[in-house]
Amino acid sequence: MHTTPIGKFIAGIPKAELHLHIEGSFEPELMFEIAKRNNIKIKYKNIEEVKKAYRFNNLQEFLDIYYAGANVLIEEQDFYDLTYAYLTKVNEQNLIHTEIFFDPQTHTDRGVEFSTVIKGIRRALKDGEKQFGISSKLIMSFLRHLDEESAIKTLEQAMPFKKWITAVGLDSSEKGNPPSKFQRVFEMSKQEGFLTVAHAGEEGPAEYIWEALNLLDVSRIDHGNRCLEDEALVQELVKRQMALTLCPLSNLELKVIQELHHHPLNTMIDKGLLVTINSDDPAYFGGYMNENYFGIAKALDLSKKQIYQLAKNSFHASFLDEESKKEMIAKVDEYYRVHG
Ligand code: ADE
Ligand code: ZN
């Protein structure tokens, strides 16, 4: 794909990522390396066996394996290596800005200190900025299969590191865990000055997207695919120009869609929704940003102009300040002027 005209265009265009779980960028090679130095046993014999296990029928099957993988992360250096490996990879893909989720409870529930997690990630982000010129924001995500009390405790643990965190989010098992369960902790987070986002409408119903808008006061919806089942909701999202952070390869691998050409991206664009392309958990779903763009461009026969618009949307929907947004969008415009 990257040798075709549209593939080359995708590979080179400056882009931002707005939906990436850092634990989901944990490549098996690094997982084995870190497991070895931490003396932790992995239940797979080798990398081929791990990759064979990455076949999922739904979100929960994936989450079970994703949390098991994260178990080998213990030391600050592990979180550093994980994050730096992601930045090294996406730097080759002309990513110039990224907004990264981390799931503190996945680690604090195993006895790893909150400070260990965030210090490792933060140091890698700062080094990555120096080394690659990639800017970043951090989003602390609450696990929705746990109770609100645990989320409140996590918010308290985050307080000493408040200036490093831009927003709070909501992820993990969606069905049966509606946004309303976390209304209070989101309210508390907003009072501390955090922006809010939430996964909604990936597997859960359109009603959960309404709740994310009305009860959690989100600035973006992560996924949001199932908004299309409710026309009034679509109109509301369009009216608010509420960004959806779509993840095509994730949708395919978790059977939200059966084939990539069934992806509703074009319908969403036609309805005037503000959509962006993201990788979600690239180590598990077969690709980083460019592979997501390649896949969806091929499946839906997207034009250079549409790719250009998607890349612009990624900056427009970001949490960058207006000045930085303008500068980065100018780079996208210039790229389109030369290569479009
Ligand atoms: N955590 C990591 N990836 C996720 C996804 N796609 N949905 C919900 N929680 C997640
Ligand atoms: Zn996600």
Side-chain angles (χ1 to χ4, degrees), residues 10 74 103 138 184 198 250 267 285:
I10 287 170
I74 308 282
D103 291 342
L138 256 186
R184 227 161 36 109
S250 165
T267 309
F285 301 147

Side-chain angles (χ1 to χ4, degrees), residues 234 238 264-273 275 306:
V234 169
V238 171
L265 177 78
N266 278 338
T267 309
M268 290 173 158
I269 292 172
D270 290 346
K271 287 183 181 287
L273 287 160
V275 290
Q306 286 171 307

Side-chain angles (χ1 to χ4, degrees), residues 19-21 23-24 59 62-63 66-67 101 103 141 143-144 170-174 199 202-203 222-223 247 250-251 254 280-281 285:
H19 184 160
L20 176 278
H21 302 266
E23 295 88 350
L59 176 58
F62 155 68
L63 289 170
Y66 160 90
Y67 294 128
F101 289 114
D103 291 342
S141 207
L143 298 181
R144 69 202 307 160
L170 189 63
D171 64 3
S172 194
S173 322
E174 187 181 9
H199 284 54
E202 180 186 17
E203 279 190 346
D222 297 310
H223 296 293
C247 307
S250 165
N251 290 164
L254 300 186
D280 207 4
D281 301 284
F285 301 147

